[in-house]
Amino acid sequence: MKLIVEQCQRYAKMRAHTATHLLHTELAKIFKTTKQAGSLVDEDYLRFDFNTDRLLTPEEIHTIEKNINQMIYDAYNVEVKETSYDEAIKLWAKAFFEDKYGDTVRVVRVFNHSNEIVSIELCWWTHVVNTKDIGCFAITGQEAVASGIKRITAVTGPKVALRIHEVQDILDTTIQKLWIKTHTQLADKLDKVLKEYDDMKASLESLETNMIKQLLEWTDFSSWKDLDKVFLVPVELNFKNVVFQAKWIFKKQNILIFNKEGSFVLLADKWISAKAFSEKLGITWWGTETMIQGRDEKILGLFK
Ligand SMILES: [Zn+2]
């Protein structure tokens, strides 16, 4: 039983590894000068880092997937051959300068049906004997991992089907939540929902601003000492917006705005220093001579 499991894992890694070589070939077609910067091969999973200055476009990803899957369906032979390093380099095998190679190397080649080499690399890993054994290939992601280094992740064999199920589940849930019938309606529906959201947000913001303006005009509940106006505003209101509106409405006046959580802003004209005023009240604050703000529940006690 253990042996069977190990054998399955081995095949899964072989599929991912040969697919890595095919991916390398495809990337070399797009980025003429790119170099491999690292790679990880696991069971039907691969990660490939390479030097380039940009990410792949969605069309390029699509083309790579299509070409690799075509090589899988076309069932190309994978040949492994031991030879001398010099001989291998003559064959233009991709060797990585940071790796140390002995006199004897292993060349892994993939041939098409016209007996042309479609992939050639120096490699000690085990590979599938024919590209058809990979089953299927799908890119699952790409990202920039460091300066000039991009990473591609992909799956092979049975993991492609798992991936399709995962994506289908997400799609089905989205279709259900958006009350549409098929995925072809998705883009239109999303545009509509996003537009509705933007409109609603804009109308809520304008409603809030109007409310604040009215509130500031009508709820001036007391004047106190050197202050011209004192406002206790509801906690639910956007405090930043309240202050912004107050600044516009009350120029050259001394205004204190606060809410029941103790958030406050004191806007002071030049003749009264906001800083001196708050120090007199003994509240914790930050700001300048003409505007201080803070959050101190002591402010609530001053206006009972
Ligand atoms: Zn390899």
Side-chain angles (χ1 to χ4, degrees):
M1 189 62 184
K2 190 169 175 277
L3 198 70
I4 295 168
V5 173
E6 279 172 5
Q7 197 61 16
C8 287
Q9 290 169 339
R10 195 173 129 88
Y11 284 139
K13 284 186 182 179
M14 283 156 69
R15 287 192 286 267
H17 201 111
T18 308
T20 304
H21 284 211
L22 300 181
L23 175 63
H24 199 177
T25 300
E26 285 303 308
L27 287 171
K29 285 184 197 166
I30 297 169
F31 304 105
K32 304 286 178 222
T33 56
T34 190
K35 273 203 193 89
Q36 179 176 339
S39 124
L40 179 133
V41 173
D42 209 334
E43 290 156 32
D44 281 316
Y45 171 86
L46 64 99
R47 203 175 76 191
F48 190 82
D49 295 350
F50 60 109
N51 293 93
T52 186
D53 54 356
R54 69 167 178 90
L55 289 168
L56 293 159
T57 64
E59 291 75 29
E60 283 168 340
I61 289 182
H62 190 71
T63 306
I64 291 174
E65 278 184 340
K66 199 171 138 240
N67 289 350
I68 292 179
N69 281 313
Q70 195 58 54
M71 286 191 261
I72 293 170
Y73 309 141
D74 286 342
Y76 291 166
N77 280 328
V78 181
E79 181 214 75
V80 177
K81 183 181 167 187
E82 287 195 10
T83 179
S84 73
Y85 180 80
D86 293 340
E87 192 57 37
I89 295 302
K90 268 186 222 156
L91 291 170
W92 293 101
K94 287 191 190 83
F96 310 114
F97 65 93
E98 65 269 30
D99 293 349
K100 297 273 176 286
Y101 294 98
D103 292 338
T104 307
V105 291
R106 212 156 152 268
V107 183
V108 178
R109 293 187 287 183
V110 179
F111 291 91
N112 66 16
H113 297 305
S114 310
N115 222 26
E116 293 158 346
I117 295 168
V118 294
S119 160
I120 174 164
E121 294 201 27
L122 297 190
C123 179
W124 286 100
W125 267 81
T126 47
H127 285 265
V128 294
V129 292
N130 189 291
T131 54
K132 70 173 192 260
D133 299 333
I134 299 170
C136 202
F137 171 88
I139 291 177
T140 52
Q142 68 159 338
E143 60 180 315
V145 283
S147 168
I149 298 179
K150 305 290 179 282
R151 170 172 294 169
I152 288 179
T153 48
V155 286
T156 53
K159 280 201 181 154
V160 177
L162 288 178
R163 165 90 181 162
I164 291 169
H165 285 149
E166 268 175 33
V167 175
Q168 191 61 49
D169 281 350
I170 295 168
L171 206 57
D172 288 346
T173 311
T174 314
I175 286 169
Q176 212 178 10
K177 285 194 174 169
L178 287 175
W179 293 82
I180 50 175
K181 283 181 184 145
T182 69
H183 72 277
T184 50
Q185 299 169 312
L186 198 57
D188 284 349
K189 182 71 180 184
L190 267 182
D191 283 347
K192 209 177 142 203
V193 169
L194 288 174
K195 189 175 176 307
E196 273 172 16
Y197 172 79
D198 286 345
D199 290 351
M200 268 200 269
K201 204 170 154 224
S203 93
L204 266 180
E205 276 168 7
S206 114
L207 199 70
E208 187 189 59
T209 301
N210 286 337
M211 223 170 97
I212 290 167
K213 279 181 186 164
Q214 284 185 20
L215 201 74
L216 291 174
E217 275 168 31
W218 299 107
T219 63
D220 175 12
F221 74 95
S222 81
S223 287
W224 189 69
K225 291 182 184 174
D226 294 332
L227 296 173
D228 296 316
K229 284 187 172 69
V230 177
F231 297 109
L232 172 63
V233 296
V235 170
E236 295 75 23
L237 277 189
N238 181 332
F239 203 70
K240 267 189 187 167
N241 199 358
V242 172
V243 174
F244 182 76
Q245 299 305 329
K247 269 188 184 171
W248 275 97
I249 297 169
F250 308 108
K251 284 177 183 143
K252 295 191 186 273
Q253 293 188 53
N254 300 317
I255 312 293
L256 177 69
I257 304 161
F258 69 106
N259 67 20
K260 282 195 172 160
E261 284 180 342
S263 291
F264 69 90
V265 168
L266 178 65
L267 302 164
D269 193 20
K270 275 178 198 149
W271 65 268
I272 173 180
S273 154
K275 193 174 142 195
F277 192 79
S278 61
E279 275 166 3
K280 201 162 72 179
L281 296 179
I283 47 180
T284 320
W285 60 275
W286 64 89
T288 63
E289 289 283 307
T290 56
M291 186 185 131
I292 57 148
Q293 56 190 310
R295 189 168 169 164
D296 193 327
E297 288 191 356
K298 265 189 235 161
I299 201 102
L300 304 175
L302 298 172
F303 299 98
K304 272 178 182 165

